[in-house]
Amino acid sequence: MGGLACNLHGSVPELAFASYQMMFAVITPALISGAFAERMKFSAYIVFIIGWSLFVYDPVAHWVWGEGGWLFKMGALDFAGGTVVHLTAGTSALVCALVIGKRLKYPHERALPTTSR
């Protein structure tokens, strides 16, 4: 771990760069969760997050933030995560809402949390 703190990614220590990347990777799924609140079991949510992180977030993060990424090579600058975080989260939330569908009894009846069923 000592080598990670000493190596530089541009002018930033690699440990700081990796921490910055992890912060966005952890925050982004929380943005998506509003699209299917009360309609997905927690275990299904965990499976979704793992798959989504591997197949959606990681490639887009590499495209934008990685030195070999095609968007990075085109000159895309994304300091605050607008492309990686908000674009992927918003699109994924829309797809999830469309796939899962409407709440069945809302607004006439409040749904119980899925963990109590």
Side-chain angles (χ1 to χ4, degrees):
M1 189 85 162
L4 189 62
C6 297
N7 295 340
L8 293 179
H9 187 280
S11 61
V12 179
E14 278 191 4
L15 186 57
F17 184 74
S19 300
Y20 178 78
Q21 299 297 329
M22 279 300 280
M23 176 189 65
F24 283 118
V26 170
I27 289 171
T28 306
L31 297 173
I32 303 169
S33 68
F36 47 78
E38 299 178 348
R39 293 180 286 166
M40 185 184 283
K41 287 187 173 188
F42 186 72
S43 58
Y45 177 63
I46 295 298
V47 170
F48 169 78
I49 294 304
I50 291 169
W52 180 86
S53 296
L54 290 173
F55 299 114
V56 177
Y57 184 84
D58 290 348
V60 176
H62 174 71
W63 295 342
V64 175
W65 290 324
E67 292 177 13
W70 65 276
L71 288 172
F72 182 84
K73 288 179 182 177
M74 291 177 59
L77 294 176
D78 184 16
F79 298 112
T83 303
V84 177
V85 175
H86 295 99
L87 188 67
T88 59
T91 305
S92 299
L94 176 63
V95 169
C96 284
L98 293 173
V99 168
I100 292 175
K102 295 180 179 179
R103 291 183 173 112
L104 297 177
K105 298 176 184 176
Y106 183 79
H108 306 293
E109 201 175 300
R110 184 180 163 108
L112 294 174
T114 56
T115 54
S116 65
R117 293 183 198 165

